[in-house]
Amino acid sequence: MSDSSRDTAEGAGWGAAERGGYRRLMPGHVEKLSWLSPKTLWAARNGVVASWFGDPTGHTRGRWVAQRAAAGAPADKVIRRAAADRFSFLVIGDTGEGGDPQYAVVPGLLRVGQDTDFAVLASDVIYPVGSADDYGTKHFRPYRDYRAPIYAIPGNHDWYEDLGAFMRVFCGDAPPLAPEPAPRPLSRAWWRALLWHRPRPTDGQRLDADRKLRSAPEQQAVQPGPYWAIDAGPIRIIGIDTGLLGTIDAEQGAWLREVSRGPRPKILVTGSPLYVDGEHHPGPVEGGGTVDDIVRDPAHHYVAAIGGDIHNYQRYPVDVDGRTLQYVVSGGGGAFTHATHTIPRVAIANVTEPDFRCYPLRGDSLAFYSGLYGRRLGLRRFFTLTEAEATAVIAERLGIEPGRAPGPGTRVTWRTRLVASLLGAGGRPDRTSRFRLPVRKAYTRLFSPGSATYTPPFFKSFLRLDVTPEAIRLRCFAATGNLAQELHPPVEDDVVIPLG
């Protein structure tokens, strides 16, 4: 087993490492995606438009579900797989930017996942707007050598073109929805329709050719809609669609309550994690209640909830009435890396720092972003921190034992403290103002230039879950873009979840 980032700096991918061979899998030309580009931001405007003029996701989702039901999809939306009591599957979150970081995940994923029964993509299959034209280079090509079926739940970016491409790819080549009557002039719906981004008329003309990259019989799967359940072996995996703004409609909420009943152990997969960045986001359900209310109900027998959307790995083992629920963030499958150094010292739901896990480690995250902004601002000598300096200043700010020792002789100076503050490094909850919390998040959610500008280590990740009648073993594997971790993907977290 190779060193992980918790063992050595080299295990994290630092140092003069040889780049991996993942580029051989990539197309000859890769369009660079920047989240600072006005063109990209304008195309991805539907989330903002929905927040201003009303979110149509629930209505549109209902139309898709009705169309699939009319086409013969099972009413309970359950996929029943003939899996043995012992089986394995992968979870890969927020994959589809199509650049080096996404393809860097693939060699390790193929090694670790070669004997798995299927994979689940957790949120944001295609960036920036879920276009059918992007599925060739951002889905079919990278995973063409994964020999098992792939299921998916959509993220907000898949909804930016009303989910049409997602439904064509994952839901039996679903045809477009019929046009609806024009809204009343100058109403909120009229303004929303006026500003709404829609797919190009020519979008998807290459899709039939792209599908041939994953055309083997053992790779095929058709899911009943954007939300579904999979019965496999002793467990049920439930995937929900949280749409543009992180909510689920009343119809899906009623289905979720129904499909969650019974003694079978369950895992939730969602596009909006319930615990993330040291905060609780229970997930509202239209009409009342929350997703987490359903997960916590002891009659439903959930053992874990895995969410995408945030592009890193986090795990919170939360005690709920004497049983432990594992709340996991798994969004490190290919898109730009969200910082972990902005996460304050964890103290939530009786989960504290010794219980919490994240990847990248906070010190590695700070070193990564200091190098990125040093290059962008032309201030490398001032901004760039070594991994040891970043680890040491994080330990000082949070008052914690670092996940990896920074090494003897590492000093925390005024410069390292200033850079950590400028880049939004977290602190202790009792010393963090309400103003600084949103400022921290802005660094890596609003101002990230996109993963096309990154160089290794990329700090990407994916999950492998091994299921037996007694337990589920969940492991987080790392992908850095370097050859050492490509040949032997390191395990960054390993937890056994009892099914008793």
Side-chain angles (χ1 to χ4, degrees):
M1 182 179 294
S2 60
D3 284 348
S4 75
S5 67
R6 292 180 172 270
D7 299 315
T8 63
E10 293 74 20
W14 298 112
E18 181 181 355
R19 188 186 286 254
Y22 65 86
R23 283 189 164 178
R24 294 191 295 269
L25 307 173
M26 299 177 68
H29 172 72
V30 177
E31 183 179 356
K32 291 186 176 182
L33 175 62
S34 172
W35 292 104
L36 294 178
S37 163
K39 179 182 177 181
T40 300
L41 293 173
W42 177 244
R45 64 187 179 272
N46 282 0
V48 175
V49 174
S51 68
W52 288 351
F53 299 107
D55 183 3
T57 301
H59 173 71
T60 306
R61 184 191 294 122
R63 297 181 69 208
W64 282 122
V65 169
Q67 183 201 81
R68 292 292 298 140
D76 61 4
K77 303 172 183 60
V78 177
I79 303 162
R80 292 172 173 86
R81 293 187 55 86
D85 283 347
R86 298 173 184 270
F87 75 98
S88 302
F89 67 101
L90 301 175
V91 177
I92 319 152
D94 298 86
T95 52
E97 276 197 4
D100 283 50
Q102 179 179 5
Y103 279 87
V105 174
V106 174
L109 182 149
L110 294 177
R111 283 185 171 83
V112 170
Q114 61 184 332
D115 61 339
T116 52
D117 293 76
F118 58 90
V120 175
L121 302 184
S123 180
D124 291 340
V125 179
I126 300 294
Y127 293 95
V129 294
S131 169
D133 281 346
D134 287 334
Y135 269 86
T137 57
K138 299 178 181 181
H139 176 70
F140 290 110
R141 186 183 184 98
Y143 309 122
R144 60 184 173 179
D145 293 325
Y146 179 67
R147 307 310 297 176
I150 296 176
Y151 302 95
I153 58 166
N156 57 311
H157 288 269
D158 301 303
W159 269 100
Y160 287 166
E161 292 191 349
D162 292 328
L163 210 65
F166 180 96
M167 295 297 293
R168 289 181 65 182
V169 171
F170 294 104
C171 301
D173 208 15
L177 294 173
E180 291 196 292
R184 180 171 52 84
L186 301 182
S187 65
R188 294 181 76 207
W190 183 87
W191 285 108
R192 183 177 66 221
L194 180 68
L195 296 171
W196 202 251
H197 169 82
R198 292 177 176 83
R200 299 183 302 273
T202 59
D203 188 50
Q205 291 183 348
R206 301 192 302 267
L207 196 54
D208 287 340
D210 292 335
R211 290 181 197 272
K212 295 177 181 178
L213 294 169
R214 275 188 54 84
S215 58
E218 65 271 19
Q219 294 176 313
Q220 304 311 301
V222 176
Q223 58 191 56
Y227 56 92
W228 42 259
I230 298 174
D231 282 351
I235 68 169
R236 171 169 284 185
I237 305 158
I238 298 173
I240 62 173
D241 169 18
T242 55
L244 280 172
L245 302 180
T247 60
I248 67 173
D249 59 278
E251 180 184 358
Q252 184 182 182
W255 169 85
L256 178 59
R257 291 184 178 94
E258 180 64 29
V259 82
S260 296
R261 292 177 180 172
R264 194 171 196 157
K266 298 172 186 73
I267 296 174
L268 182 76
V269 183
T270 170
S272 300
L274 303 180
Y275 281 87
V276 60
D277 294 345
E279 300 171 354
H280 184 211
H281 299 272
V285 177
E286 184 183 28
T290 68
V291 172
D292 202 26
D293 291 339
I294 298 170
V295 169
R296 288 170 174 258
D297 188 331
H300 295 159
H301 298 274
Y302 279 90
V303 296
I306 302 172
D309 189 52
I310 302 303
H311 308 163
N312 53 45
Y313 173 80
Q314 301 173 42
R315 180 170 63 84
Y316 301 81
V318 176
D319 180 85
V320 179
D321 299 326
R323 57 197 175 95
T324 300
L325 284 176
Q326 298 290 345
Y327 290 88
V328 176
V329 178
S330 182
F336 71 87
T337 299
H338 277 136
T340 57
H341 68 264
T342 58
I343 303 173
R345 179 169 172 163
V346 171
I348 186 169
N350 293 319
V351 178
T352 58
E353 278 294 327
D355 312 309
F356 171 68
R357 291 291 181 272
C358 69
Y359 176 79
L361 296 175
R362 290 183 179 97
D364 289 331
S365 170
L366 179 58
F368 174 87
Y369 267 92
S370 72
L372 177 66
Y373 278 91
R375 292 192 299 272
R376 286 186 57 80
L377 299 174
L379 297 171
R380 295 190 187 200
R381 293 186 62 183
F382 174 77
F383 248 94
T384 303
L385 304 180
T386 68
E387 53 81 20
E389 290 173 328
T391 298
V393 73
I394 287 291
E396 179 187 83
R397 287 176 66 92
L398 271 68
I400 61 172
E401 289 293 323
R404 181 182 71 245
T410 303
R411 296 174 55 242
V412 177
T413 66
W414 70 268
R415 182 183 71 89
T416 58
R417 292 187 180 103
L418 178 58
V419 170
S421 294
L422 290 173
L423 292 179
R428 305 182 192 186
D430 58 343
R431 300 181 184 179
T432 302
S433 72
R434 292 182 180 180
F435 171 75
R436 290 178 60 191
L437 287 171
V439 170
R440 285 206 213 102
K441 294 179 181 179
Y443 283 103
T444 57
R445 297 192 189 179
L446 179 60
F447 298 117
S448 176
S451 60
T453 64
Y454 294 176
T455 56
F458 296 129
F459 299 109
K460 300 289 94 186
S461 58
F462 61 93
L463 307 183
R464 174 177 171 133
L465 291 88
D466 298 295
V467 181
T468 72
E470 297 78 31
I472 300 170
R473 184 184 184 189
L474 183 153
R475 284 176 287 175
C476 173
F477 287 88
T480 66
N482 292 331
L483 184 62
Q485 289 81 34
E486 189 173 281
L487 295 174
H488 304 285
V491 177
E492 292 293 337
D493 192 22
D494 190 342
V495 61
V496 174
I497 305 170
L499 297 183

